[in-house]
Amino acid sequence: MTSPLPAHLPFSTLVRDATKAEHTRAENSTFMSDMLSGRLGLEAYTRYTEQLWFVYQALEEAAGRLGGDPVAGPFVRRELFRLPSLERDLDHLHGTPAWRGTVTPLASTETYANRITEVSRDWPGGYVAHHYTRYLGDLSGGQVVRGSAERNWGFARKGDGVRFYVFEDIPNPAAFKRGYRELLDSVPADDEEKWRIVGECGRAFTLNTAVFEELAAPAPTAG
Ligand code: HEM
């Protein structure tokens, strides 16, 4: 038996409030802080962008399957898709398209991507949790990351290297986010399912933080 949702609390507010502490932890992780302050070099930003590529492959492959689903389908919007932009950024960061054959996911990234794929197969509400955690974050704090990357490494404003953070087909992100929150508020789920979704959002944040921790860890030395 789960508790009912607090009366009059929109689901979008519940989700945001329930993940606030996790958000602060992700935002203040050593890797993020060191990367955004410029303490880490372009090489760290490239490694981070590579890991995002694996995450968005999982998210957007699943989107292809879930477009007609009554719960997850309304969230699947072509203008959010990030894979083509990520690939352009990685072509630019590596200076060659050959990275496709060489980059590998970290263990934490693999765990994260596998979880997205797993829920997308049998739990559309779980997919919504992962969708929210990434795309609403990209539309929000992602803009802070873009600004720092442009300043730290001299990318052209909204150009190659930071296209992942540029939603060309969303001219008004604030309005888009309002519409997204309305979608969350009207998700066809009972209170028990909504609490499960909140729990999965927490898990999604933890999975992101684990990737930051692994990115911050010194690479193992040979021998
Ligand atoms: C340095 C890193 C980050 C910064 C500076 C940052 C900053 C922000 C800011 C300022 C907002 C509020 C925007 C608004 O109210 O419209 C926001 C929202 C959000 N962020 Fe982040 N963020 C960061 C990292 C992350 C990470 C790693 C995730 C998860 C993967 C994330 C997920 C979210 C989500 C889901 C929201 C939407 C909250 C809501 O309104 O429901 N953020 N972020």
Side-chain angles (χ1 to χ4, degrees):
M1 167 92 192
T2 45
S3 46
L5 288 186
H8 310 304
L9 186 68
F11 184 49
S12 59
T13 308
L14 175 69
V15 167
R16 187 178 52 206
D17 291 355
T19 54
K20 218 174 201 130
E22 287 284 3
H23 184 273
T24 306
R25 203 166 306 141
E27 199 178 340
N28 296 328
S29 67
T30 306
F31 181 79
M32 260 295 154
S33 315
D34 287 356
M35 184 177 77
L36 298 188
S37 68
R39 241 189 316 277
L40 296 176
L42 179 58
E43 167 274 335
Y45 178 76
T46 303
R47 286 192 293 122
Y48 171 58
T49 308
E50 289 169 0
Q51 298 309 306
L52 289 177
W53 185 61
F54 294 102
V55 173
Y56 282 81
Q57 278 188 65
L59 274 173
E60 293 176 12
E61 271 171 29
R65 287 193 297 276
L66 286 167
D69 180 84
V71 173
F75 292 89
V76 173
R77 303 276 294 268
R78 192 150 280 284
E79 60 268 44
L80 286 172
F81 286 2
R82 299 290 81 212
L83 264 185
S85 308
L86 264 174
E87 293 182 352
R88 279 184 76 175
D89 287 341
L90 285 165
D91 286 349
H92 179 74
L93 291 166
H94 285 277
T96 156
W99 58 268
R100 282 174 180 75
T102 59
V103 298
T104 49
L106 296 170
S108 54
T109 305
E110 209 156 14
T111 304
Y112 182 12
N114 286 344
R115 179 63 185 164
I116 293 170
T117 303
E118 183 185 327
V119 295
S120 74
R121 291 193 191 283
D122 58 11
W123 180 29
Y127 180 74
V128 169
H130 287 277
H131 192 279
Y132 161 82
T133 305
R134 281 302 336 176
Y135 293 108
L136 221 60
D138 298 332
L139 279 163
S140 310
Q143 302 316 301
V144 179
V145 179
R146 176 174 64 78
S148 302
E150 288 168 357
R151 269 193 311 280
N152 290 340
W153 302 301
F155 300 120
R157 186 169 181 273
K158 299 191 174 183
D160 285 340
V162 290
R163 291 191 189 277
F164 170 73
Y165 303 96
V166 182
F167 290 81
E168 301 271 7
D169 298 323
I170 302 183
N172 184 342
F176 187 94
K177 283 195 280 184
R178 270 197 302 279
Y180 193 100
R181 289 190 183 107
E182 282 165 15
L183 267 186
L184 278 175
D185 293 341
S186 59
V187 73
D190 61 18
D191 285 5
E192 184 177 351
E193 172 66 355
K194 285 181 178 169
W195 280 118
R196 278 184 79 211
I197 295 173
V198 168
E200 189 67 22
C201 289
R203 185 164 177 173
F205 271 95
T206 306
L207 288 163
N208 275 279
T209 307
V211 175
F212 296 154
E213 279 166 6
E214 198 172 350
L215 280 166
T221 46

